[in-house]
Amino acid sequence: MNILLEVLNKINAFLWGAPSMILLVGTGLFLTFALKGLQFTKLWYAFKLAFTPDKEDSEAEGDVSNFKALMTSLAGMIGNGNIAGIATAITLGGPGALFWMWVVGLIGMSTKYAEAVLAQIYRVKNPNGEYSSGPMYYIERGLGKKWKPLAIGFAFFAGIAALGTGNAVQSNTIADVMDNSFHVTGWVTGVLLVILTGLIIFGGIKRISNVAGVFVPVLAILYIAGSMLILILNFDQIIPAFGLIFHHAFTPVSAAGGFTGFVVTQAIQHGVSKGIFSNEAGMGTVAMIAGNAKTSHPAKQGLVAMTGTFIVTIIVCSMTGLVLVITGFWDPSGGLLSGVEHNANLDGGALTSAAFGAVLGVIGEYIVSISVVFFGFSTIIAWYVYGSKSFEYLFGVKYVGIYGVLFLAATYIGSVADLKLVWAFADMANALMIIPNLIGLLLLYKVVKQQTENYFANPIEKEQLQKNA
C-alpha cells in the first residue's frame, strides 16, 4: 500500500504541477478576453439575477430555480477547502498566497460562466423527467460522437472523485471534528451521516436543492459573521494585514529562528492550486447542476453560476485568510496580533479553529467546528449530484440507485478509515476531470461567445443593464 501511495503521490505531483496550473489559468484568461471581461463588467447584474426572483425564469423549462441551482453548486464549493485548504495555502505559501487565490478566483469566474452556459445549451431530459447536464454532454453533443471517449473519461473520473474528495474525505473530516470537539466516536458519526445523506439524496434533485437552499445561506452567514466579528474586534490590523498579503505576493518572506520563510513561487503555487480546489473553476462540476436550472436564456444561468466563484473565493476564503494573517497563525514565530499563543504543530482546519479561538475563545472554536461539520455535509450531498449524473451518463438512469448505495458505503468508510490512499486516488481523479473539460471549453468557446452576444444584444436586456449601471 505504501508503494501504491508513493506512486500516486508522484502522479499527482505531475498532474497538479505547472502544466495543469498553466492550462487552468490560461483557459480562464482566454475566456476572460473572449468574453470581454464579462465577470467584471456584469458582476452587479449577475448578483441581481441570482438573488432576485424572475417570473420569466420561473416559467422556463427546468427542475429547480436558478437560485437553488446556485445554492447546490455552492454547497459543493463552500466546504472544508475554504477552512482547511486556505490555512494550508497560507502556511505553505505565506500571506501572498491569498492574493494569488483572488487572482485565480476572478479569472475562474469566466470559466464557470462558460461551463454553465454550455450546460444549458446541451442538457438532455432523462427518462425520469429530470434534466441531465455536464461536460460529458457538451463534449459529446457539442463536439460530436468522435469526442465521446473524452466525455466518458470525464464522467468516469468525476464519479470516482465524487466518492473520494466529495464524500469519503468530507465524512472523514466531519468524524474527526465530531470526535475532537463533541466526543462522538467515528462509527456513530458514520451511521448518522449515512442516514441523513440517504434521506436527502434519494429524494432527487429537488430535495437536494431544497436542503442546499436552506443550509448554504445559514452556514455561510454563521461563518462570515464569526470572521467579521474577529475583524471588527481587530479593525486596526486589517490594513496591515492587506499590506502583508500584497507585499508577500511579490516578495519572499524571510526566515527567522526556526521559521523557514517562503519564496514567491510558493505563494503562487499554493494560492493557485488551493484557489482552484476551493472554487472548482475548470472542474466542470457547476455544469452538472446548472442544466437543471429554470432560466429563459443560457447566458443568464452563466451569470448566476459565476457569482458562486466570487462568493467562495473573494468573500469566504478571504475571511479565513484575513483571520489567519491578523492573528498571526500563518507564522509560528508571531503575527500582527500580540498576546496570542501559537502552536507550530497545528495545520489545516485545526489551525483555523485555533485562530478563531484565540480571539473569541471556545465560541470561536465551536463556530469553526460546526462550520466544518455542516459545510462538509453540504459538500457530500452536492457531490452526490455530480457523481450520480456521471454514473447515469455511463450506465443509464435505471442504475443510478446502485451508485447511491456505493455513495453511502463511501460515506461510512470515510468516517472510520485512514484515507491517505483515498485522498491520493481522489486527487488524481480531480486532476483527470479537468483535462477533458478544459478541452471542451476551449473548442466550444465560440458557442459561449455567440450566446453571450445574443443575450446582451436583446433590447430588453440592454435597458435592464442600463438601470443597474
Side-chain angles (χ1 to χ4, degrees), residues 94-429:
L98 189 58
F99 171 84
W100 295 108
M101 200 171 291
W102 292 334
V103 171
V104 79
L106 293 171
I107 292 171
M109 288 173 69
S110 64
T111 308
K112 274 287 177 73
Y113 171 84
E115 290 172 344
V117 169
L118 292 174
Q120 279 281 326
I121 295 170
Y122 296 109
R123 67 183 182 175
V124 299
K125 187 171 283 191
N126 67 27
N128 290 340
E130 292 182 347
Y131 280 100
S132 296
S133 61
M136 54 280 199
Y137 290 98
Y138 56 69
I139 290 171
E140 181 185 349
R141 301 184 73 219
L143 299 178
K145 291 288 185 181
K146 66 180 180 180
W147 292 90
K148 188 166 183 176
L150 200 66
I152 291 173
F154 174 87
F156 176 75
F157 290 116
I160 292 176
L163 293 173
T165 305
N167 185 0
V169 167
Q170 302 297 327
S171 64
N172 186 264
T173 305
I174 292 170
D176 282 345
V177 171
M178 290 294 288
D179 187 18
N180 294 329
S181 299
F182 307 107
H183 309 294
V184 178
T185 57
W187 73 267
V188 173
T189 298
V191 170
L192 290 173
L193 284 174
V194 167
I195 293 171
L196 292 173
T197 303
L199 288 172
I200 295 170
I201 66 175
F202 289 124
I205 186 65
K206 290 184 179 179
R207 184 179 296 175
I208 292 170
S209 65
N210 284 337
V211 171
V214 174
F215 252 61
V216 173
V218 172
L219 292 172
I221 289 170
L222 170 68
Y223 186 73
I224 292 170
S227 303
M228 287 298 297
L229 181 57
I230 292 174
L231 298 182
I232 290 168
L233 290 173
N234 299 282
F235 68 93
D236 58 321
Q237 299 299 336
I238 294 176
I239 293 177
F242 274 106
L244 276 177
I245 291 165
F246 286 109
H247 177 71
H248 290 304
F250 305 96
T251 307
V253 184
S254 301
F259 178 52
T260 57
F262 307 102
V263 296
V264 174
T265 53
Q266 286 177 295
I268 297 172
Q269 178 189 346
H270 294 291
V272 171
S273 62
K274 294 301 184 291
I276 290 166
F277 182 74
S278 66
N279 63 46
E280 299 176 11
M283 291 178 66
T285 51
V286 74
M288 290 191 270
I289 186 63
N292 292 94
K294 297 179 180 180
T295 187
S296 58
H297 195 286
K300 292 179 79 173
Q301 186 53 35
L303 290 165
V304 170
M306 79 178 190
T307 63
T309 302
F310 186 91
I311 292 169
V312 168
T313 306
I314 307 302
I315 299 177
V316 179
C317 289
S318 295
M319 293 293 102
T320 303
L322 285 170
V323 168
L324 289 167
V325 173
I326 283 175
T327 58
F329 272 78
W330 65 276
D331 174 4
S333 65
L336 293 172
L337 193 60
S338 60
V340 174
E341 293 184 6
H342 301 267
N343 185 341
N345 297 318
L346 295 176
D347 58 15
L351 190 67
T352 304
S353 180
F356 272 68
V359 180
L360 301 179
V362 69
I363 292 175
E365 293 181 9
Y366 277 126
I367 287 174
V368 176
S369 297
I370 292 169
S371 297
V372 167
V373 170
F374 287 100
F375 280 163
F377 180 65
S378 67
T379 298
I380 290 172
I381 62 173
W383 271 84
Y384 169 76
V385 175
Y386 310 149
S388 63
K389 292 282 183 76
S390 300
F391 198 84
E392 177 188 325
Y393 177 81
L394 293 171
F395 303 106
V397 69
K398 64 181 179 180
Y399 296 108
V400 169
I402 296 173
Y403 187 82
V405 174
L406 291 172
F407 196 82
L408 293 179
T411 304
Y412 182 79
I413 291 169
S415 65
V416 297
D418 180 358
L419 291 188
K420 289 180 181 177
L421 200 59
V422 175
W423 255 114
F425 267 117
D427 276 351
M428 183 178 69

Side-chain angles (χ1 to χ4, degrees), residues 10-34:
K10 287 181 179 179
I11 292 172
N12 286 332
F14 171 76
L15 289 175
W16 285 104
S20 61
M21 294 299 103
I22 291 169
L23 183 60
L24 278 160
V25 175
T27 300
L29 283 170
F30 173 77
L31 291 170
T32 296
F33 284 110

